[in-house]
Amino acid sequence: MTHMVSLIGCGFVADLYMRSLQAMDGIEVMGVYDRDSARLSAFCAHWNVPSQPDLASLLDAHPRDGLILNLTNPEAHFEVNRTCLEAGFHVYSEKPLATDLDDAKALHALAEEKSLMLASAPCSVLGEAAQTLGHALRHDVAGTPRLIYAELDDGFVPQAAYSKWMSESGAPWPYEDEFRVGCTLEHAGYYLSWLISWFGSVQSVTAASAETIPDKTGQGPMAPDFATATLFFKNGPVARLTCSIVAPHDHSIRIIGDRGVLGCDAAWDNGAKVHFAKRVTLRRRLMELPFKRRIRIPGTTHPKVKRWGAAAMNFMLGPAEILEAIKTGRSSRLSNDHALHMTEVTLAMQNAGQTGGAQLMTTTAERMEPMPWAL
Ligand SMILES: NC(=O)c1ccc[n+]([C@@H]2O[C@H](COP(=O)([O-])OP(=O)(O)OC[C@H]3O[C@@H](n4cnc5c(N)ncnc54)[C@H](O)[C@@H]3O)[C@@H](O)[C@H]2O)c1
């Protein structure tokens, strides 16, 4: 059986979805729409997929049991998500669901009222590295987890040659939009989704954020380029998450447990190695062993996609999960609650500023079922 997806927005990231789609079986593109007609033509010609002249035509042609991928810029997410839900369609939205918490809550309520699925990227939480860490946590490899350090530092991006970054079908990297939206709204979800999948709800967030490099493009203040948060899980350890486009590149996660440290050095690589450093006492000195043990899930996991630019991720794992949930009538791992909760925590980090202080979260999410191959 073939599953149908339609794409709204076909800029830089849409090419990564198409590259990923080629690794998946049984998913076809029903239609594509972008408000930029030149971009729409270039994309549809490159990938040989059907274009639609406007949003209404795309929705008219889209099947009820299909999935709409909202790949527009963040400030368009709310309107596009709302229009699709109101028309009665399941939606997979690029992050964030909306740039305002009340808007995100309204979308969640609308989806619930209409019994629709509303999921949010990123979907690397369904990938091998995240699932291997989840497997190690469930199997108690490192003992009780006490503290987690998760880094999403991208290097000093304002000095990078970003004006030359181009997607496969010719979309420029949208640097103004990226700087205006900010690296926290863009990236915090990469580790928040993993943490929420393992531990469930964040009860409170103590965060701070700042724009440390003012006037990056000569257009005045932009979003914070640095944010850090201490996350207090309702039933789990404490985690510190940092996002920046300033500090040297570091996408590592370290889970510090009673018996040692579980870790992974890459957030944007589904096949990144997961390792465990056992804690020992050698000649009265306490240390984590420098020779780390590789942790693997036995058997086959999921189709992998070769590295393109900064990412080696299968962007279609999320849509495939939702489509299978629709087909079989089960609930989706990327639940509506997961999407909303991740959005709330992300916005708490982004909006904290210098005086954000402690914030109690108003939404919740359950731990995520592991993938069947990761039990
Ligand atoms: N750039 C990346 O590397 C990357 C990676 C992962 C996720 N994302 C996410 O993907 C989303 C899109 O980012 P991008 O880099 O592709 O941006 P982009 O600017 O390259 O592309 C967005 C496209 O959406 C179109 N669009 C905007 N509003 C629209 C509307 N109302 N109706 C129809 N089309 C509309 C634009 O014309 C543009 O072609 C963002 O949420 C971003 O966070 C980006």
Side-chain angles (χ1 to χ4, degrees), residues 11-13 33-35 71-73 76-77 94-95 174 186 190:
F12 193 94
V13 84
Y33 166 64
D34 195 298
R35 64 182 177 193
L71 311 182
T72 62
N73 309 96
H77 286 179
E94 255 303 336
K95 62 208 147 40
E186 296 280 357
Y190 283 104

Side-chain angles (χ1 to χ4, degrees), residues 8-17 33-37 39-40 55 70-77 79-80 93-96 121-122 167 171-175 177-178 181 185-187 190 268 310-311 313 315:
I8 306 175
C10 54
F12 193 94
V13 84
D15 280 349
L16 299 176
Y17 279 79
Y33 166 64
D34 195 298
R35 64 182 177 193
D36 176 341
S37 56
R39 179 67 210 136
L40 179 62
L55 185 51
N70 178 1
L71 311 182
T72 62
N73 309 96
E75 66 268 26
H77 286 179
E79 275 307 323
V80 171
S93 174
E94 255 303 336
K95 62 208 147 40
S167 78
W173 191 63
Y175 63 87
D177 197 50
E178 290 269 340
V181 171
L185 283 195
E186 296 280 357
H187 298 158
Y190 283 104
W268 295 353
M313 287 188 285
F315 283 77

Side-chain angles (χ1 to χ4, degrees), residues 69-349:
L69 311 188
N70 178 1
L71 311 182
T72 62
N73 309 96
E75 66 268 26
H77 286 179
F78 171 64
E79 275 307 323
V80 171
N81 287 337
R82 190 176 59 158
T83 305
C84 298
L85 290 170
E86 267 171 358
F89 295 110
H90 304 287
V91 179
Y92 181 85
S93 174
E94 255 303 336
K95 62 208 147 40
L97 275 188
T99 53
D100 172 89
L101 181 58
D102 287 340
D103 285 349
K105 285 183 173 173
L107 290 174
H108 180 272
L110 181 58
E112 295 290 305
E113 180 198 316
K114 292 189 165 262
S115 302
L116 292 168
M117 296 195 191
L118 171 65
S120 168
C123 65
S124 60
V125 61
L126 306 176
E128 190 177 290
Q131 292 285 320
T132 305
L133 281 168
H135 174 90
L137 284 164
R138 284 190 307 280
H139 290 265
D140 204 28
V141 169
T144 304
R146 303 291 177 180
L147 180 65
I148 298 176
Y149 281 2
E151 328 286 351
L152 287 164
D153 289 309
D154 285 345
F156 208 93
V157 175
Q159 284 177 3
Y162 53 72
S163 58
K164 297 193 184 114
W165 297 347
M166 197 71 83
S167 78
E168 207 172 332
S169 70
W173 191 63
Y175 63 87
E176 272 179 25
D177 197 50
E178 290 269 340
F179 292 151
R180 200 169 40 244
V181 171
C183 59
T184 306
L185 283 195
E186 296 280 357
H187 298 158
Y190 283 104
Y191 274 142
L192 274 179
S193 57
W194 296 24
L195 295 167
I196 293 168
S197 80
W198 303 328
F199 304 117
S201 302
V202 176
Q203 194 161 35
S204 73
V205 175
T206 299
S209 63
E211 190 179 13
T212 65
I213 310 168
D215 216 13
K216 294 177 190 58
T217 58
Q219 305 211 356
M222 297 270 175
D225 48 28
F226 160 77
T228 190
T230 305
L231 311 172
F232 298 89
F233 285 85
K234 186 157 187 274
N235 296 303
V238 171
R240 195 262 293 134
L241 172 63
T242 300
C243 299
S244 90
I245 48 166
V246 184
H249 190 282
D250 181 356
H251 280 188
S252 64
I253 184 163
R254 286 173 292 167
I255 302 170
I256 298 121
D258 284 346
R259 283 200 289 278
V261 179
L262 270 173
C264 176
D265 298 330
W268 295 353
D269 177 353
N270 291 148
K273 289 180 186 155
V274 169
H275 41 75
F276 172 60
K278 191 177 173 188
R279 188 173 307 110
V280 294
T281 301
L282 281 180
R283 295 196 198 102
R284 285 183 290 169
R285 188 171 154 221
L286 181 69
M287 63 188 293
E288 273 92 29
L289 285 177
F291 310 105
K292 297 173 184 172
R293 172 159 71 90
R294 174 109 187 247
I295 311 277
R296 291 174 197 264
I297 291 177
T300 329
T301 58
H302 60 79
K304 304 262 176 45
V305 178
K306 273 207 218 129
R307 174 167 297 279
W308 200 93
M313 287 188 285
N314 185 336
F315 283 77
M316 286 302 291
L317 293 179
E321 161 69 14
I322 312 285
L323 286 164
E324 203 206 86
I326 296 168
K327 185 179 88 182
T328 57
R330 66 164 167 84
S331 52
S332 160
R333 290 179 177 82
L334 297 180
S335 68
N336 301 9
D337 287 355
H338 178 86
L340 179 61
H341 191 54
M342 186 169 64
T343 307
E344 179 172 33
V345 178
T346 303
L347 286 168
M349 280 183 79

